[in-house]
Amino acid sequence: HTIADTQLTFELGEGTTQVTAQLRFERSDAAPDGATDLRLDGQELELVSVAVDGRALASNEYRLDDESLTLFDLPAHFELSVVTRIHPEVNTALDGLYKSGGMYCTQCEAEGFRKITYYLDRPDILAPFTTTIVASRNYPVLLSNGNQIDAHELADGRRSVTWRDPFPKPSYLFALVAGDLAVLRDEFVTTSGRKVELRIYSEPHNIAQCRYAMGALQRAMRWDEQVYGREYDLDIFMIVAVEDFNMGAMENKGLNIFNTSCVLASADTATDAAYQRVEGVVAHEYFHNWSGNRVTCRDWFQLSLKEGFTVFRDAQFSADMHSRTVKRIEDVNFLRTFQFPEDAGPLAHPIRPDSYIEISNFYTTTVYEKGAEVVRMIHTLLGPARFRRGTDLYFDRHDGAAVTTEEFIAAMEAANAVDLGQFRRWYSQAGTPVVAVRTEFAGDTLTVHFEQRCPATPQQPHKDAFHIPIALGLLDAGGAELLGAAGRRNGSAVTLTSDATIENPGDDGTLIVHLRQPSAQVTIAGLHSEGALSLLRGFSAPVNLQWHRSSETLAFIAQHDTDGVCRWDAMQTLFAAEIDRLRTGAVEPSGEFLTLLGELATAAHAAADDGEAKAMFAVMLTVPSEAYLGELMEQIDVDGLHRARVRLREVIGLTLFDSWLALYRGNSSTETYQPDGRGIARRALRNLALSYICATGDSHVDVAKRVVLNQYEGADNLTERLAALREIINAVWLERSVAAAALDGFAQRWQHEKLVMDQWFALQAACPAPDALQRVMALDNHPDFDARNPNRVRSLYGVFAQQNVVRFHASDGSGYRFLTERVSRLDRANPQLAARLLAPLTRWRRYDAARRLAMRDALRRIEADAALSKDVFEVVSKSLQTDG
Ligand code: TRP
Ligand code: ZN
């Protein structure tokens, strides 16, 4: 059966909400002959009554269990009326209808709607919804999807408001909000001249912080028209900010619901990173209106169809709004730090998984971020114009339908007469491919050999070759491009031969090598000297390059490549090499490396104030995180990495002390805080300089103390205030009482701003002092710690386990015991959140024997719990499986 029309009535009452669903069912043509039974999904529901075509069913006419309601002997077409009762006040899982900070709200993706009423709760059942909400006057704002079509008062004083959403949608896009909310209003006029009403709702004390999100929404709406030709369709678009939310935000049709952390922003309550996240997430959810809502997923295996594509779209948008290269570097860094380990561990899965126990566990960096990389590779292979032809055809063909990733690829092929047959393997094979590179230079000829392989992943011992776009450039000794159109413009006359297809889609100095075979080679003849090869420009494919280069070559690329991602990547490699030297016995980093850093710091000082150049130097001069450095090692040397990284930062601070001071002074804020590219870049560079000044240990205590306390006390924005507070609490050279006073003062001042207090918890959870765990345990008992609020939980437990590598992985297993104990407890209240917090433990095979055992024991202790949720069970059991 399918559902032709859905009408819902919610009577919100303290303690109990009654839901009446009137559903018009139609037997689908695909139904097997004689099929007259119908199974509806439903969980944690109290069934009050069920009627077919107005006739109440007797108890022998249906069957009820914990997960479903099955009706027998149904006609081909009928109207079902089901009345259920639910209890949002005690819904701590934040899935379905729940209460957050006094307001009712919903989260239905992926399978939350079945906790509201009995339904065909799957994404390929699309129906228009009419929703009536009845509530007391304590809840003056009553919202649902679509347009409001009625509002009136009932005889008993309650109010009734009705919304109708004319666009057929799956149940996961349903939303309801009821509360005493403030609103910020604006509007948007679409290209075709339709006026759209825009509203952002929040609790009254937060409404002043919604302005930035409104601007971001307007920018996103305009951008989607210009870049994808996508116009908004309803007459109203609403965002509601809620404090308790499992994820970032949700794209419910016409009524997006957001974690406050992804909407609210003001100079004193949001860092530059938070502003950019707000803009990115607002855009992401808005873009889903087309990539997700108008064209949706046939089933949850297709999740990356909407998420991978939409992450790609929001990344393009952010790149257009801010520093393109830095945005790309941040994304590549995120992918390599979090997705690569997932792809190399026991929970590895293709971006289109082929099985799951609990779908909530598959909202992963693989489905999202690697999914976006796969879409990006199609964009790289086709170029922007042909990619746009493909998306136009995709939206055109499948508007109003629930489709698969296959339809996306097929549209790309059909619009462009290209063959993506082999490329499809990116959807079905897990694991990060390795591309080994070897070069030879003889006479006037450079030969580049490529060889690809992909490590085994669970259930996939063997992989077929991927179609990998490798962006390749070559520079001469003066840094000029030698290849492609740019090469010709520079007078280079090289000849290229290859057994792979090579294209120059950008008409620039970058060639795209289509690596399809297990191995390939490219020969470049007519060179005066070897030149400097630049590979995987823009990070053209989510692969690991295995490529040995001398430190001179890397330094040259870092300073001269035209591709910013490759410049940054060369620095990452050089940093990792220095860390390695220090970790394995060297006392000092190499002199050449320090010289290179000095040159970069000097160049940073002279860099243009354009929001791009300074931001680039800031990321290039940042030592990679312990999490990233650990991933580069076969077996992670937790303590060695930490010590080496501290030492490296100290030496860099000392050796270039004057440069850091100059950068610090040269990038002070000149005007009032603006979250724009220029300001963000200056603050990034200044805070980097501050961190090196503070890393000099006991050598410059007076200067460091003066600088950091001045910044802390004088800051007019959270970015600078928090950066200073971080240095204050991490500084071993500062009296403990100073740090304690700063922390207390901060908490006093900001205790009413929950998102700021999240940062206060997070800073301390990340502090690598030896007593970190004791501090985390004390914070766990702090009156402001709230285990029911996911943001707070992530700030304390999540940050400790993910960012405080050296203390979470204490060799005595104390960090592991702490996390498992808290996760077991959390699992009873909020399984989705609990399962996510376990991620760091699942990589137990990467550590030394003692840690490995301690981590495995911790996982086994959780597994022994009989009352485990499906969510946590799946993560724990898969990570303990022997073939993982
Ligand atoms: N679709 C949401 C997003 O774009 C993800 C999401 C929000 C979600 N809340 C959720 C997924 C709860 C699972 C459970 O990005
Ligand atoms: Zn999304």
Side-chain angles (χ1 to χ4, degrees):
H1 287 80
T2 57
I3 302 177
D5 188 57
T6 296
Q7 298 196 24
L8 305 169
T9 302
F10 290 79
E11 291 180 70
L12 305 174
E14 300 309 323
T16 297
T17 287
Q18 181 156 302
V19 184
T20 303
Q22 286 170 285
L23 312 173
R24 194 150 57 72
F25 280 92
E26 281 170 8
R27 226 180 91 121
S28 82
D29 302 335
D33 280 349
T36 55
D37 292 357
L38 174 66
R39 181 189 178 281
L40 301 175
D41 303 297
Q43 283 173 9
E44 298 165 38
L45 302 171
E46 286 169 32
L47 181 63
V48 176
S49 65
V50 47
V52 170
D53 290 329
R55 187 183 66 82
L57 298 188
S59 60
N60 63 349
E61 293 177 281
Y62 60 86
R63 188 175 61 230
L64 202 57
D65 65 27
D66 281 354
E67 303 210 321
S68 64
L69 167 67
T70 305
L71 308 173
F72 308 128
D73 294 325
L74 295 163
H77 306 280
F78 63 95
E79 176 140 338
L80 179 72
S81 276
V82 189
V83 179
T84 49
R85 287 201 185 121
I86 52 179
H87 307 286
E89 291 77 2
V90 295
N91 178 354
T92 56
L94 314 185
D95 189 31
L97 179 67
Y98 65 95
K99 269 192 111 170
S100 169
M103 80 171 100
Y104 290 90
C105 63
T106 53
Q107 173 54 42
C108 293
E109 187 178 6
E111 298 181 335
F113 193 77
R114 63 188 62 189
K115 295 169 148 192
I116 292 174
T117 188
Y118 290 101
Y119 204 77
L120 290 174
D121 190 15
R122 35 189 284 176
D124 61 341
I125 297 292
L126 280 68
F129 277 60
T130 307
T131 305
T132 298
I133 310 166
V134 178
S136 82
R137 269 176 288 186
N138 295 335
Y139 302 92
V141 174
L142 303 173
L143 311 174
S144 190
N145 319 85
N147 305 306
Q148 185 176 317
I149 56 170
D150 179 64
H152 65 272
E153 194 159 308
L154 302 182
D156 58 11
R158 292 184 300 168
R159 285 178 62 249
S160 168
V161 172
T162 301
W163 293 80
R164 176 162 173 81
D165 178 5
F167 291 96
K169 67 166 176 291
S171 49
Y172 84 88
L173 291 172
F174 169 78
L176 174 154
V177 169
D180 188 359
L181 305 176
V183 62
L184 173 70
R185 293 167 187 269
D186 210 320
E187 63 177 44
F188 180 83
V189 180
T190 68
T191 7
S192 62
R194 271 187 324 103
K195 193 187 272 183
V196 181
E197 199 185 327
L198 307 179
R199 299 186 197 163
I200 301 183
Y201 288 94
S202 75
E203 290 179 70
H205 61 277
N206 286 331
I207 199 70
Q209 294 183 39
C210 294
R211 194 66 250 174
Y212 182 77
M214 181 65 86
L217 174 61
Q218 291 162 324
R219 291 193 289 281
M221 294 179 85
R222 190 62 75 214
W223 186 92
D224 211 16
E225 293 180 342
Q226 290 168 345
V227 179
Y228 281 87
R230 299 293 117 199
E231 237 183 89
Y232 187 62
D233 45 14
L234 288 161
D235 299 330
I236 176 168
F237 184 84
M238 298 177 279
I239 288 176
V240 180
V242 308
E243 276 174 356
D244 305 297
F245 201 73
N246 276 342
M247 306 271 283
M250 179 63 211
E251 70 264 25
N252 318 297
K253 182 75 187 190
L255 178 56
N256 289 358
I257 298 183
F258 272 62
N259 189 323
T260 44
S261 70
C262 296
V263 196
L264 305 181
S266 75
D268 277 327
T269 58
T271 60
D272 290 336
Y275 270 95
Q276 285 173 283
R277 177 146 171 83
V278 167
E279 185 180 55
V281 176
V282 165
H284 178 98
E285 305 310 332
Y286 173 73
F287 296 155
H288 268 315
N289 191 55
W290 275 98
S291 50
N293 302 2
R294 291 288 290 258
V295 181
T296 193
C297 300
R298 186 190 70 183
D299 53 65
W300 293 120
F301 300 112
Q302 319 301 326
L303 182 57
S304 201
L305 173 75
K306 72 176 177 82
E307 296 304 348
F309 185 23
T310 305
V311 171
F312 173 70
R313 276 151 55 69
D314 83 56
Q316 284 181 298
F317 167 75
S318 294
D320 283 352
M321 297 297 121
H322 300 278
S323 163
R324 176 172 304 281
T325 311
V326 174
K327 167 65 180 161
R328 182 64 189 144
I329 288 169
E330 286 165 357
D331 288 350
V332 172
N333 195 33
F334 182 85
L335 189 85
R336 297 205 295 208
T337 307
F338 298 103
Q339 197 278 325
F340 280 20
E342 183 169 275
D343 233 351
L347 290 144
H349 50 277
I351 64 169
R352 188 188 57 220
D354 29 39
S355 69
Y356 57 77
I357 294 175
E358 170 54 64
I359 184 58
S360 299
N361 284 330
F362 283 79
Y363 288 74
T364 59
T365 60
T366 297
V367 166
Y368 275 64
E369 277 76 23
K370 186 178 181 181
E373 293 298 321
V374 171
V375 174
R376 190 173 192 280
M377 285 191 284
I378 299 176
H379 186 271
T380 302
L381 292 169
L382 296 177
R386 299 201 303 158
F387 183 82
R388 168 67 191 272
R389 257 187 267 152
T391 59
D392 281 353
L393 182 63
Y394 168 73
F395 289 126
D396 209 49
R397 274 184 175 176
H398 305 296
D399 188 9
V403 302
T404 68
T405 57
E406 175 54 31
E407 268 81 35
F408 185 79
I409 308 264
M412 288 291 161
E413 287 182 324
N416 296 296
V418 4
D419 177 7
L420 295 170
Q422 185 186 357
F423 187 85
R424 282 171 172 76
R425 289 176 185 158
W426 285 106
Y427 286 84
S428 57
Q429 297 189 141
T432 305
V434 175
V435 176
V437 178
R438 217 164 27 82
T439 60
E440 279 151 36
F441 184 66
D444 70 346
T445 303
L446 175 69
T447 308
V448 189
H449 302 267
F450 297 99
E451 214 177 291
Q452 64 159 304
R453 64 192 151 77
C454 182
T457 53
Q459 275 103 57
Q460 295 187 337
H462 168 80
K463 317 278 176 168
D464 295 321
F466 289 90
H467 179 178
I468 304 175
I470 298 195
L472 170 154
L474 185 65
L475 306 167
D476 72 11
E481 301 275 17
L482 290 171
L483 304 181
R488 281 191 299 280
R489 285 193 289 272
N490 291 333
S492 137
V494 299
T495 51
L496 226 82
T497 42
S498 178
D499 47 1
T501 308
I502 298 184
E503 291 170 339
N504 185 207
D507 218 26
D508 51 12
T510 301
L511 304 180
I512 304 293
V513 179
H514 293 242
L515 179 59
R516 295 165 180 267
Q517 301 300 324
S519 66
Q521 61 183 54
V522 176
T523 320
I524 306 165
L527 293 166
H528 301 299
S529 67
E530 180 168 353
L533 190 63
S534 165
L535 285 181
L536 216 65
R537 282 183 164 177
F539 202 64
S540 59
V543 301
N544 265 313
L545 274 192
Q546 208 173 70
W547 182 23
H548 182 77
R549 286 175 287 175
S550 69
S551 44
E552 297 77 55
T553 308
L554 286 162
F556 181 85
I557 290 289
Q559 289 189 296
H560 301 292
D561 201 345
T562 54
D563 184 79
V565 175
C566 285
R567 292 211 305 278
W568 164 80
D569 179 67
M571 287 305 294
Q572 295 273 294
T573 307
L574 286 168
F575 270 121
E578 293 302 329
I579 295 274
D580 227 42
R581 284 166 37 86
L582 293 172
R583 198 177 53 77
T584 53
V587 194
E588 295 291 327
S590 75
E592 304 89 83
F593 183 64
L594 292 172
T595 306
L596 172 66
L597 286 183
E599 285 166 17
L600 290 172
T602 305
H605 195 59
D609 220 353
D610 57 3
E612 182 91 39
K614 288 189 174 185
M616 261 310 282
F617 282 110
V619 292
M620 286 185 67
L621 287 163
T622 300
V623 183
S625 68
E626 281 165 50
Y628 173 75
L629 292 165
E631 281 315 313
L632 301 176
M633 304 182 69
E634 197 77 38
Q635 187 176 101
I636 301 171
D637 175 8
V638 173
D639 298 308
L641 278 177
H642 181 69
R643 269 196 303 271
R645 192 173 178 282
V646 169
R647 173 72 185 145
L648 180 60
R649 297 192 66 253
E650 182 184 10
V651 178
I652 295 173
L654 284 170
T655 315
L656 304 174
F657 193 75
D658 294 340
S659 300
W660 303 128
L661 265 186
L663 276 175
Y664 187 80
R665 296 197 176 114
N667 287 283
S668 57
S669 41
T670 48
E671 53 227 30
T672 55
Y673 176 84
Q674 285 294 327
D676 60 353
R678 201 173 144 265
I680 291 171
R682 289 174 69 90
R683 284 185 290 277
L685 209 43
R686 187 166 200 252
N687 285 335
L688 178 78
L690 175 72
S691 80
Y692 281 125
I693 291 167
C694 292
T696 53
D698 295 324
S699 312
H700 294 281
V701 173
D702 289 348
V703 181
K705 190 170 172 177
R706 183 156 31 82
V707 166
V708 75
L709 291 179
N710 273 346
Q711 173 162 333
Y712 179 66
E713 280 148 21
D716 73 342
N717 64 82
L718 187 62
T719 307
E720 291 180 330
R721 188 175 296 128
L722 213 55
L725 185 60
R726 175 182 299 112
E727 299 306 331
I728 289 171
I729 69 168
N730 289 356
V732 287
W733 43 265
L734 200 60
E735 305 87 297
R736 270 294 164 104
S737 58
V738 175
L743 279 169
D744 283 350
F746 189 97
Q748 282 285 322
R749 172 70 184 84
W750 301 107
Q751 59 181 328
H752 301 299
E753 292 288 352
K754 292 195 175 161
L755 297 173
V756 179
M757 287 304 286
D758 286 338
Q759 302 285 348
W760 182 84
F761 277 90
L763 272 193
Q764 298 179 77
C767 174
D771 64 348
L773 180 58
Q774 278 150 270
R775 187 198 287 244
V776 169
M777 285 170 142
L779 289 170
D780 198 27
N781 290 315
H782 192 281
D784 287 331
F785 183 76
D786 176 4
R788 291 284 144 99
N789 178 256
N791 291 352
R792 197 52 56 90
V793 168
R794 283 185 282 256
S795 297
L796 189 60
Y797 306 163
V799 168
F800 177 61
Q802 287 219 332
Q803 289 173 38
N804 202 342
V805 178
V806 67
R807 299 307 162 205
F808 173 64
H809 291 279
S811 53
D812 63 1
S814 52
Y816 308 144
R817 282 192 298 277
F818 172 77
L819 185 73
T820 51
E821 207 266 312
R822 296 310 126 121
V823 166
S824 294
R825 199 190 301 171
L826 253 179
D827 190 34
R828 290 161 219 282
N830 187 337
Q832 286 182 20
L833 179 62
R836 281 180 178 276
L837 289 170
L838 280 177
L841 278 179
T842 64
R843 332 262 207 246
W844 59 279
R845 284 184 179 83
R846 300 287 303 277
Y847 293 85
D848 54 87
R851 289 184 171 90
R852 211 153 54 218
L853 287 178
M855 292 172 91
R856 205 184 56 187
D857 279 354
L859 288 166
R860 285 185 176 161
R861 267 199 308 281
I862 301 182
E863 197 186 28
D865 184 340
L868 229 48
S869 68
K870 277 209 267 178
D871 309 58
V872 168
F873 171 78
E874 181 170 38
V875 174
V876 170
S877 60
K878 285 185 175 170
S879 49
L880 286 170
Q881 255 156 36
T882 42
D883 75 334

